[in-house]
Amino acid sequence: MSSRNRVLSFGGSALVIVLGGVIALIVNGTTGEAISLALVSLGSIAIVSLVFLEVGLSEDRERERERSDARERERRPPLHRRRRPD
Protein backbone atom coordinates (compact mmCIF):
# COMPACT_ATOMS: atom_id res chain seq x y z
CA MET A 1 0.00 0.00 0.00
CA SER A 2 1.51 3.31 -1.03
CA SER A 3 1.76 6.26 1.31
CA ARG A 4 -0.82 8.13 -0.71
CA ASN A 5 -3.34 5.28 -0.49
CA ARG A 6 -2.66 4.94 3.23
CA VAL A 7 -3.34 8.65 3.86
CA LEU A 8 -6.47 8.61 1.70
CA SER A 9 -7.82 5.48 3.40
CA PHE A 10 -7.26 6.61 6.98
CA GLY A 11 -8.24 10.18 6.16
CA GLY A 12 -11.45 9.08 4.45
CA SER A 13 -12.38 6.94 7.42
CA ALA A 14 -11.72 9.79 9.83
CA LEU A 15 -13.75 12.11 7.61
CA VAL A 16 -16.72 9.72 7.78
CA ILE A 17 -16.48 9.74 11.59
CA VAL A 18 -16.39 13.55 11.67
CA LEU A 19 -19.29 13.71 9.23
CA GLY A 20 -21.27 11.46 11.56
CA GLY A 21 -20.63 13.88 14.42
CA VAL A 22 -21.67 16.87 12.33
CA ILE A 23 -24.87 15.16 11.22
CA ALA A 24 -25.66 14.38 14.88
CA LEU A 25 -25.52 18.11 15.58
CA ILE A 26 -27.49 19.21 12.52
CA VAL A 27 -30.23 16.58 12.16
CA ASN A 28 -32.53 16.27 15.16
CA GLY A 29 -34.40 13.24 16.36
CA THR A 30 -34.11 9.58 15.73
CA THR A 31 -33.10 10.03 12.10
CA GLY A 32 -30.06 12.10 13.01
CA GLU A 33 -29.04 9.63 15.68
CA ALA A 34 -29.39 6.68 13.31
CA ILE A 35 -27.40 8.32 10.51
CA SER A 36 -24.75 9.53 12.96
CA LEU A 37 -24.43 6.12 14.60
CA ALA A 38 -24.13 4.42 11.21
CA LEU A 39 -21.44 6.79 9.93
CA VAL A 40 -19.36 6.73 13.11
CA SER A 41 -19.62 2.94 13.25
CA LEU A 42 -18.61 2.50 9.61
CA GLY A 43 -15.69 4.89 9.98
CA SER A 44 -14.49 3.14 13.13
CA ILE A 45 -14.75 -0.29 11.52
CA ALA A 46 -12.80 0.98 8.52
CA ILE A 47 -10.00 2.35 10.70
CA VAL A 48 -9.70 -0.87 12.70
CA SER A 49 -9.69 -2.88 9.47
CA LEU A 50 -6.97 -0.67 8.01
CA VAL A 51 -4.85 -1.11 11.13
CA PHE A 52 -5.14 -4.89 10.82
CA LEU A 53 -4.22 -4.60 7.13
CA GLU A 54 -1.12 -2.59 8.00
CA VAL A 55 -0.06 -5.18 10.59
CA GLY A 56 -0.54 -7.98 8.07
CA LEU A 57 1.41 -6.16 5.38
CA SER A 58 4.30 -5.48 7.76
CA GLU A 59 4.38 -9.18 8.70
CA ASP A 60 4.44 -10.11 5.00
CA ARG A 61 7.36 -7.73 4.41
CA GLU A 62 9.25 -9.19 7.37
CA ARG A 63 8.68 -12.76 6.15
CA GLU A 64 9.90 -11.84 2.67
CA ARG A 65 12.98 -10.17 4.17
CA GLU A 66 13.73 -13.33 6.14
CA ARG A 67 13.33 -15.50 3.01
CA SER A 68 15.64 -13.20 1.08
CA ASP A 69 18.27 -13.38 3.83
CA ALA A 70 18.00 -17.19 3.91
CA ARG A 71 18.43 -17.40 0.12
CA GLU A 72 21.46 -15.15 0.34
CA ARG A 73 23.04 -17.33 3.05
CA GLU A 74 22.45 -20.44 0.90
CA ARG A 75 24.27 -18.87 -2.06
CA ARG A 76 27.42 -18.09 -0.07
CA PRO A 77 29.87 -20.93 0.42
CA PRO A 78 30.56 -22.00 4.01
CA LEU A 79 33.39 -20.17 5.77
CA HIS A 80 35.74 -23.17 5.83
CA ARG A 81 35.47 -23.58 2.04
CA ARG A 82 36.09 -19.99 1.10
CA ARG A 83 39.37 -19.24 -0.57
CA ARG A 84 41.71 -16.89 1.09
CA PRO A 85 42.90 -13.92 -0.94
CA ASP A 86 46.48 -14.31 -2.11
Side-chain angles (χ1 to χ4, degrees):
M1 179 182 266
S2 70
S3 295
R4 180 172 188 230
N5 285 342
R6 186 175 293 116
V7 169
L8 289 174
S9 299
F10 280 100
S13 299
L15 183 63
V16 169
I17 292 172
V18 170
L19 184 62
V22 170
I23 287 181
L25 296 173
I26 294 173
V27 180
N28 295 327
T30 307
T31 304
E33 286 181 26
I35 294 171
S36 174
L37 181 63
L39 289 175
V40 170
S41 297
L42 288 174
S44 299
I45 290 169
I47 286 179
V48 170
S49 298
L50 289 167
V51 168
F52 276 105
L53 175 64
E54 287 295 325
V55 169
L57 291 175
S58 70
E59 289 174 350
D60 289 346
R61 285 190 295 269
E62 180 63 27
R63 248 183 264 122
E64 184 57 36
R65 192 176 304 121
E66 288 172 359
R67 284 187 199 126
S68 176
D69 291 345
R71 283 192 297 262
E72 183 62 32
R73 282 191 302 271
E74 289 174 359
R75 288 187 194 131
R76 289 185 285 187
L79 289 175
H80 67 277
R81 296 182 64 186
R82 289 187 187 168
R83 292 185 56 176
R84 293 184 185 176
D86 294 326

